[in-house]
């Protein structure tokens, strides 16, 4: 069995803010944390930092090994993903708020249209009443 890089705590859509400590934990299959170490041997990698668990150090097998700069790149990408997920969450919230606003506006438009129809009917009735009154006035004036 091999060790693995345990990323995050839960689903990628958890969107927990400020939880960077749970990102990029380096853990073996046996749940041992792989601490940051430095190459001490002479050679081209002397002084280079890496993550390695005790199983890897003792047997050079069945353990976790990863160069630190590769892990830092992963952490940077994970932080970007977390920021993007937070942005997505905020935008989803804004969309929900806009949908609610849109529903309220639809209700207002319906009410205003109903008022408009009522007012149009009233104006038509007034127009008819005015016309009838004018005819009555003309008849009364011609009768005199």
């Amino acid at each position: 069995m091999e060790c693995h890089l345990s990323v995050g705590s839960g689903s990628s859509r958890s969107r927990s803010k400020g939880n960077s400590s749970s990102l990029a934990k380096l853990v073996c299959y046996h749940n041992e944390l792989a601490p940051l170490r430095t190459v001490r041997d002479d050679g081209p990698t002397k002084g280079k930092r890496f993550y390695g668990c005790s199983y890897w150090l003792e047997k050079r097998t069945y353990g976790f090994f990863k160069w630190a700069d590769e892990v830092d790149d992963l952490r940077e990408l994970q932080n970007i993903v977390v920021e993007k997920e937070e942005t997505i969450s905020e935008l989803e919230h804004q969309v929900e708020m806009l949908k609610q606003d849109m529903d309220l506006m639809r209700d207002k438009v319906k009410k205003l249209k109903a008022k408009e129809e009522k007012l149009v009917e009233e104006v038509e009735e007034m127009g008819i009443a005015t016309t009838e009154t004018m005819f009555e006035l003309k008849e009364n004036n011609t009768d005199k």
Side-chain angles (χ1 to χ4, degrees):
M1 292 187 153
E2 290 184 13
C3 295
H4 64 281
L5 177 64
S6 174
V7 178
S9 60
S11 73
S12 65
R13 302 285 288 178
S14 66
R15 296 186 184 103
S16 59
K17 293 184 179 185
N19 198 8
S20 61
S21 64
S22 69
L23 296 176
K25 289 183 180 176
L26 304 177
V27 181
C28 287
Y29 72 92
H30 44 74
N31 287 331
E32 178 185 328
L33 198 62
L36 182 62
R37 304 171 189 271
T38 305
V39 175
R40 296 197 195 312
D41 298 336
D42 287 333
T45 59
K46 183 177 181 173
K48 193 168 180 180
R49 300 182 77 170
F50 67 96
Y51 290 91
C53 70
S54 60
Y55 287 85
W56 183 84
L57 291 172
E58 292 168 9
K59 302 174 179 133
R60 300 283 190 226
T61 59
Y62 301 112
F64 180 85
F65 176 86
K66 191 81 160 169
W67 292 113
D69 56 352
E70 293 173 5
V71 173
D72 290 340
D73 291 344
L74 178 62
R75 283 187 178 142
E76 186 177 328
L77 290 173
Q78 289 170 334
N79 288 332
I80 291 169
V81 167
V82 168
E83 289 172 7
K84 297 293 182 189
E85 287 179 344
E86 289 171 356
T87 301
I88 289 169
S89 178
E90 291 167 5
L91 290 172
E92 286 172 344
H93 177 71
Q94 287 178 3
V95 165
E96 286 303 313
M97 297 302 293
L98 289 171
K99 283 180 180 178
Q100 290 175 4
D101 289 347
M102 189 171 66
D103 290 341
L104 289 173
M105 291 297 179
R106 276 192 193 125
D107 291 343
K108 286 182 180 180
V109 167
K110 284 179 184 177
K111 288 177 183 176
L112 288 172
K113 283 185 177 180
K115 279 185 180 180
E116 178 189 31
E117 288 175 10
K118 186 177 179 181
L119 289 172
V120 166
E121 288 175 10
E122 288 177 8
V123 167
E124 287 175 353
E125 289 173 7
M126 291 171 137
I128 292 170
T130 304
T131 304
E132 289 174 354
T133 305
M134 286 176 55
F135 281 125
E136 288 175 12
L137 285 173
K138 278 188 180 181
E139 286 178 12
N140 287 339
N141 281 342
T142 55
D143 287 344
K144 290 182 183 181

